Amino acid sequence: MAVISELINSGLRLKQQRKLRGAIEHFRQLYATYPDHARIQFELANCWLAFGVPENALPHYQELLEPSKAKSLPPKDLPRLYTQLCATLHQLDENQAALEIAQAGIKLHPTYRPLRAWQIFALTATGAHQVAVLDALELLLESLAPSRWDIFEDDIKQETRKMRARLENATPSFPPTSQENTTPLNPPEESGGGKAGSETEARQPDSLENSGKQVIDVSAQADESPADADDHEVTVSVRPPAKKSPRHRLSQLGRRSVRINISGDEPSKDDPAAAAFKIPIDD
């Protein structure tokens, strides 16, 4: 037994030095040699969890909960076993199972604070936020010396007991955490591979559709004109902004602009602004 203890300590030293790959390989070899040794299996699972591979640690922890293995663990490692298993399930998003393990472990080890802390994490993950806050407050009350609470300690403890009584009398109802609706309000249309310049349907908000006002669809080419538009065409063309000298350069919203002709005639070459105006747009 002295030899096995020294071999275990050698692996623990590797773990403390953050040589986790070496520690895992060390305990894997030990476990292959001594498959019934609970402490070796426990430390192998701990190394896997510390290495960030909880799925490899999980079957070892679950096997160690069996009575034949659990009774072989040192008494100090039993609350650690429940704590490590709860943490493993929490990392794997098995939050309900983590909560059940924490509750079972606390019944056996009610004063083990790390396990109570992981139960708070599991309660929060399952939606029992009020119970989690209460457990956290009770843990805080027990962890600090009475002098740190000044004259308010008795009042805080009394209010905590009242809160616990209200939660125990209330019907437990912990709905799952609601997920935000990530569906965009105006999802982009799938590209159908159409030709450039094809007519594009303009989507109008419900407020416009229900307002009773006439909505004019502006497209690349207006095939139909509104009945009360007095035979005026509305055409849209995209042109680059006029080049300005650096001395008189004005700030623009983008590198392109939209020219909108609001008359029935083509813009005059001599005075284009008389029949149209331009709106800078971004690319």
Side-chain angles (χ1 to χ4, degrees), residues 9-266:
N9 290 335
S10 298
L12 292 177
R13 284 192 291 270
L14 290 172
K15 182 183 176 184
Q16 292 171 355
Q17 297 169 3
R18 307 303 299 172
K19 299 178 180 178
L20 293 176
R21 292 181 182 273
I24 290 173
E25 186 59 31
H26 178 83
F27 282 113
R28 286 181 64 182
Q29 293 180 7
L30 282 180
Y31 180 62
T33 306
Y34 305 99
D36 296 327
H37 200 286
R39 175 71 189 284
I40 293 175
Q41 187 176 8
F42 180 59
E43 296 300 343
L44 173 59
N46 293 342
C47 287
W48 277 121
L49 185 60
F51 193 61
V53 190
E55 57 270 22
N56 286 358
L58 180 61
H60 292 295
Y61 287 136
Q62 291 174 330
E63 184 177 344
L64 286 168
L65 274 183
E66 298 177 1
S68 59
K69 285 289 186 74
K71 66 181 181 181
S72 301
L73 278 176
K76 67 179 182 65
D77 288 335
L78 287 174
R80 290 182 58 205
L81 171 60
Y82 282 95
T83 305
Q84 297 287 75
L85 178 54
C86 179
T88 300
L89 292 168
H90 183 74
Q91 291 187 24
L92 294 172
D93 292 330
E94 299 289 342
N95 297 306
Q96 185 60 41
L99 179 58
E100 294 172 359
I101 288 295
Q103 291 172 341
I106 288 176
K107 289 181 180 179
L108 300 174
H109 312 281
T111 61
Y112 194 67
R113 291 174 180 171
L115 179 55
R116 293 175 62 185
W118 277 106
Q119 179 181 244
I120 293 171
F121 299 145
L123 285 167
T124 303
T126 54
H129 303 291
Q130 288 186 330
V131 182
V133 170
L134 180 60
D135 284 359
L137 180 58
E138 289 177 343
L139 185 60
L140 181 63
L141 283 167
E142 297 172 9
S143 301
L144 295 180
S147 60
R148 300 294 296 274
W149 290 101
D150 201 6
I151 63 174
F152 302 102
E153 180 183 8
D154 292 339
D155 294 337
I156 294 174
K157 288 183 177 179
Q158 183 178 0
E159 191 63 29
T160 303
R161 287 192 293 268
K162 290 180 181 178
M163 183 177 178
R164 174 68 70 182
R166 287 196 299 268
L167 289 176
E168 290 177 351
N169 294 332
T171 302
S173 177
F174 306 132
T177 303
S178 60
Q179 298 180 353
E180 295 183 359
N181 183 11
T182 57
T183 304
L185 296 178
N186 292 317
E189 298 182 357
E190 296 183 0
S191 176
K195 296 181 181 180
S198 63
E199 182 175 347
T200 304
E201 182 179 358
R203 296 178 176 268
Q204 299 296 334
D206 292 339
S207 59
L208 289 179
E209 293 177 354
N210 299 327
S211 63
K213 298 181 180 180
Q214 185 178 8
V215 179
I216 300 177
D217 180 19
V218 179
S219 59
Q221 292 180 354
D223 296 333
E224 297 181 358
S225 300
D228 59 348
D230 295 333
D231 297 331
H232 288 287
E233 289 187 353
V234 177
T235 60
V236 177
S237 59
V238 177
R239 299 184 182 181
K243 295 183 178 180
K244 302 288 185 179
S245 62
R247 183 178 178 181
H248 301 288
R249 181 171 298 172
L250 300 176
S251 60
Q252 297 190 24
L253 297 177
R255 291 175 294 176
R256 297 190 302 168
S257 65
V258 174
R259 178 185 297 273
I260 301 179
N261 179 19
I262 59 175
S263 68
D265 301 327
E266 291 294 327

